[in-house]
Amino acid sequence: MASLVRHITVDCTDPCRLAQFWAEVLDGSLAEDDFPGDPEASVITGGSGLLFIAVPEKKTGKNRLHLDLQPQDRSRDEEVARLLALGASLVADHRRPDGTGWATLADPEGNEFCVERSAAERVG
């Protein structure tokens, strides 16, 4: 049997704060034993989990790996608006007038991720 991805691990300065942000993004939850000030925090989702680990240094360059999100129950633009309201910031807007494209956002610690079109938008 091959391996599977158990966690995608992210270095950060405040694991609980960043895990709370991503739990909201992914409609997940923090592990029961994760609290503010802990050196790590896990987000439990329906897929692979996210693990946030405290490191002393801040992010300094472009991510070598990033997440691509696909909204499940709303449009890409509605999801971008929701994530901005949660505390994300818009890094680059690659949305085109014909409805294709994506938006690149950053979480509260500057880790980039993309929001693509929903499955319904891809079909329609």
Side-chain angles (χ1 to χ4, degrees), residues 85-105:
L86 288 175
S89 57
L90 183 65
V91 174
D93 196 336
H94 303 283
R95 294 175 283 186
R96 298 182 194 106
D98 68 357
T100 61
W102 68 94
T104 303
L105 280 66

Side-chain angles (χ1 to χ4, degrees), residues 10-15 39 52-59 109:
V10 179
D11 291 349
C12 61
T13 58
D14 189 341
F52 298 89
I53 303 286
V55 297
E57 62 275 351
K58 293 185 177 196
K59 181 179 174 292
E109 289 206 15

Side-chain angles (χ1 to χ4, degrees), residues 21 24-25 69 78-89 105 113 115:
F21 169 83
E24 287 288 326
V25 169
L69 305 181
E78 291 168 333
E79 183 68 349
V80 168
R82 183 181 82 88
L83 300 178
L84 292 172
L86 288 175
S89 57
L105 280 66
F113 61 97
V115 181

